[in-house]
Amino acid sequence: MSETLSDAEVMNQNQRALAELIWAIEMSQGQFKLMLVRCNYITLRDVLVQQLQQECSLNIQKIVLEPTVKQVYSTLGDRLGDEIPDALMVFGLESVIALDAVLTSLNQVREEFRKNCPFPVIFWINDEVSVKLTWLAPDFESWASLTHFAIAPDDLLWALKEENDHLFAEIFAAGNQRFVTNQEIFGKRYPFELTLALQDLEKAKQPLSPELQASLQLVWGRDAYMRDRMEEALDCYHDSLQFWQASDTKGWKDRAGAVFHHIGLCYVRASERDRNQDESYWNQARQAFQSALDCFEEAGRPDLVGQFIGQLGEVLRQLSDYSSLQQLAQSAIQLHETLGNRVQLARDYGFLAQVALYQQEWDHAKELAEKALEILAPDPQQEQYQGLYLLLLARSLRQLGEQEEAGDRLEEAAKGDPEDNPHLYIEILEEWRSLYYEQSQYVKAFDRKQERLSIEQQFGLRAFLGAGRLEPQRQARSQPMPMESPGSVAVEIVASGRQKDVERLIERIRSTRYKLTVIHGQSGVGKSSLVQAGLLPALKQTVSGDRDILPVSQRLYTDWAKTLGQLLGEALAQRGIQIEAIPDSVDRVLEQLRQNESNHLLTVLIFDQFEEFFFICKEPEKRLKFFEFLGDCFQIPFVKVLLSLREDYIHYLLAYNSLAGFGAINHDILSKNTLYAVGNFSTADAADIIRSLSDRAHFPLEPELIEAVVADLAENLNAVRPIELQIVGAQLQTDDITTLAEY
């Protein structure tokens, strides 16, 4: 934005640009014309789009791209079907997660637009997308006309004030039920749009009011909190708090309360990270949450007291201050009954149930837990809050000798989503394990333990998994986590150097040279972990030319055709493609694989732990049927196959090397072009892995201890087996061994 333009001049320029854009659209009716419209602010864009549709004589269709989109051209084709609109406006490129890959593929299919789109196509973009288009899709961009819209400084200030009020309204509405993120509040274009707004205001020499500056400190603090930078977040919060506390405006007392609440959340998170000082952090959290409630009281906002009081109750429970917890819950019940908040009211009875359990009043605890469940029962949308009360009910039932019913309640509680509250889900699994062990059901107890360890690994709460298979990263909803996005490659894969293997395997899949890849290695080197926690999540975020990649992973082979059909249907459903259930028919699976080709999909069939196939399918005719199916898959252009198995089972593959369909791989199933070896870790890599995983889970190990562990593990091989590293690491964490002396 030019520093010399006034608000009126900016508005006049926008109106002229809009008139020219409308004229260009109308003159291009019936022919392909590519137009780029650059507008950095969604508020301005919405006004301009509304005006454009009112003043343009054509019927312009709008399509908004989802953040998960992988291909623009095929997505537009699917959405339009056979319809040919007068003109098409496309929104959402700035929010696409895999933007670089999407723009690169856009450049590759530009001729398809000219051939099949006899109408103007208008892409609304911002500066960030515009720059990337120039670098990643220069051919596509060279075809386009460009229209630019700016925003007047006064309008920008007004929009910021509106967003400021919106920020606190959303925080108050969410209360202590969950942390609503800045992106949820401000939209998908945050923080790009906010950063640009501040730059534009600085250029226009428009100062921010102290109120806006204080709100920005809160915003930056919330960003730091979500990146798990607690010290940075606390600095921002205290800077914000200075203004709200010093202000004489009574209406801003509630905003001071909101900042105190955020300060308390930082100390809660700090207690989770530092076990040596957790009680100190819990006490600081208690003070902050109490200060927040005091501010809401001073502001005359009992509704906000009701919204946030439960967080203080949780802190009191962590501090085992059951006397104070009982008093708080009893006073909160009256408040929440008046306000009619069922979720918070159920939580109050949950607190009282925990007090009763502490006091060993088992019947009373059972009644209180049932009361909490009864309060939530009328609203099926509140099922996510039932897990805690089912757990409390199960604990009381166990003490009353009703083990079977306690198990039923725990099974019901475990149906919840771990992402709602992973710590609670882990508690449920541990209680379930303990119950099974008490009943001498040791196999089921072991299964629950393994499930608990897996959940802890997925959510970054455990450094080492032990003798289990790694899974992709997951993140609790709105919980701070400074790592990868949910569903991304596990940090263990990245830290171990296996990321290079993931990248090489993806290149093989995208290349036309390889129809089959056989991943092999000794038992325990981490083949399944590489596939499940590395390759699979990476493939879901990858495109190949103008095609989405559809990975389908299978590990069960009792009825392999039926299982594969089910997995294929589920994978398509996740992409929004609904199909009829695939029957137990190899021909129907092959038919669907061919249909995937026409849906712009590259299907990757992954058969993991494939040695199990030879254990299960012992009859020669059943084995032959599977390999004939593979041969048929090799004949379908956009289907790739990966087999992952122990290297001592590779020779089983040779029996089928001469099948007709294997001509696609030159009847050379054990060639260098087919085999992909996975080995053990070097000692240097093993030390880096231990250090990275322990730091991530806030389980710091003494450097001398890491050296000693690696030396012991590598004693015979001069290398470290991944499974042994995980087992020893898990034992260190279980026994809380962090120093060489303890080791």
Side-chain angles (χ1 to χ4, degrees), residues 8 54 126 150 188 222 309 334 346 367 446 529 577 606 651:
Q54 289 174 348
N126 60 17
K188 298 173 183 177
R222 287 163 54 81
I309 194 172
Q334 298 178 4
E367 293 172 3
F446 177 77
S529 292
I577 302 174
I606 303 173
H651 67 279

Side-chain angles (χ1 to χ4, degrees), residues 579-591:
I579 62 172
E580 294 183 4
I582 299 176
D584 183 9
S585 165
V586 172
D587 291 338
R588 181 64 185 88
V589 172
L590 290 168
E591 180 186 344

Side-chain angles (χ1 to χ4, degrees), residues 185-463:
I185 293 173
F186 299 121
K188 298 173 183 177
R189 298 171 78 152
Y190 171 85
F192 167 80
E193 194 169 302
L194 179 57
T195 303
L196 191 64
L198 296 176
Q199 293 174 354
D200 285 348
L201 287 172
E202 185 178 359
K203 291 177 184 177
K205 299 180 180 179
Q206 287 276 11
L208 296 180
S209 67
E211 177 191 353
L212 280 177
Q213 290 176 355
S215 295
L216 280 174
Q217 288 299 323
L218 175 59
V219 170
W220 303 143
R222 287 163 54 81
D223 275 347
Y225 173 80
M226 287 305 295
R227 294 194 300 270
D228 216 16
R229 299 175 182 173
M230 294 304 122
E231 292 183 3
E232 180 183 337
L234 284 170
D235 287 341
C236 292
Y237 291 155
H238 284 298
D239 287 343
S240 178
L241 191 59
Q242 286 181 359
F243 169 78
W244 304 117
Q245 284 187 307
S247 172
D248 294 330
T249 305
K250 182 180 178 181
W252 285 348
K253 284 291 183 183
D254 54 1
R255 300 191 174 190
V259 179
F260 271 121
H261 175 74
H262 283 76
I263 291 172
L265 292 178
C266 285
Y267 287 122
V268 169
R269 178 58 178 163
S271 70
E272 296 172 350
R273 292 170 43 176
D274 190 345
R275 296 166 298 165
N276 296 324
Q277 298 188 49
D278 58 350
E279 186 171 352
S280 171
Y281 287 131
W282 281 118
N283 278 313
Q284 291 181 81
R286 177 179 186 170
Q287 294 173 11
F289 291 137
Q290 184 61 62
S291 296
L293 298 180
D294 292 342
C295 287
F296 297 144
E297 288 279 8
E298 292 178 37
R301 296 291 303 272
D303 57 319
L304 295 182
V305 175
Q307 280 282 69
F308 289 89
I309 194 172
Q311 193 73 57
L312 179 57
E314 181 60 31
V315 173
L316 295 175
R317 185 184 72 84
Q318 293 288 345
L319 290 169
S320 299
D321 188 348
Y322 289 101
S323 176
S324 297
L325 179 60
Q326 186 173 25
Q327 293 175 17
L328 178 136
Q330 288 171 342
S331 62
I333 285 175
Q334 298 178 4
L335 182 61
H336 291 138
E337 284 179 340
T338 302
L339 296 171
N341 190 321
R342 286 206 308 274
V343 172
Q344 299 284 11
L345 185 61
R347 192 175 191 182
D348 299 336
Y349 281 101
F351 287 143
L352 291 178
Q354 292 173 41
V355 172
L357 284 171
Y358 171 75
Q359 296 172 342
Q360 299 185 9
E361 298 175 355
W362 315 126
D363 284 311
H364 190 39
K366 176 175 177 286
E367 293 172 3
L368 290 166
E370 289 174 337
K371 177 68 173 177
L373 290 167
E374 180 186 340
I375 292 170
L376 291 178
D379 189 351
Q381 294 182 347
Q382 307 303 337
E383 287 182 356
Q384 60 177 307
Y385 300 106
Q386 294 180 357
L388 173 60
Y389 315 127
L390 289 167
L391 173 61
L392 297 175
L393 178 57
R395 284 174 173 166
S396 62
L397 289 168
R398 283 187 70 181
Q399 296 298 331
L400 292 169
E402 301 178 37
Q403 266 83 353
E404 185 175 348
E405 188 175 351
D408 291 341
R409 299 292 77 75
L410 289 170
E411 183 176 2
E412 187 179 352
K415 293 178 181 177
D417 189 342
E419 291 183 4
D420 289 331
N421 188 336
H423 291 280
L424 172 61
Y425 198 83
I426 289 164
E427 276 193 71
I428 292 168
L429 292 175
E430 178 55 28
E431 186 75 19
W432 207 0
R433 182 208 65 79
S434 175
L435 177 62
Y436 277 137
Y437 192 86
E438 184 179 282
Q439 297 172 327
S440 301
Q441 298 188 54
Y442 301 120
V443 174
K444 290 183 178 180
F446 177 77
D447 290 342
R448 297 293 79 75
K449 176 184 176 181
Q450 291 301 104
E451 187 178 355
R452 173 177 62 80
L453 295 177
S454 179
I455 293 293
E456 290 175 349
Q457 174 262 317
Q458 293 173 53
F459 287 92
L461 304 174
R462 167 166 288 273

Side-chain angles (χ1 to χ4, degrees), residues 71 73-74 105 108-109 112 543-548 600-601:
Q71 301 285 345
Y73 176 76
S74 58
S105 68
Q108 296 170 351
V109 298
E112 300 302 316
V543 295
S544 178
D546 64 341
R547 293 180 179 273
D548 283 354
H600 297 278
L601 294 173

Side-chain angles (χ1 to χ4, degrees), residues 618-632:
K618 297 184 180 297
E619 299 87 345
E621 59 273 16
K622 289 186 177 180
R623 291 182 178 182
L624 178 62
K625 185 176 182 181
F626 176 85
F627 283 94
E628 287 177 340
F629 165 75
L630 287 191
D632 291 334

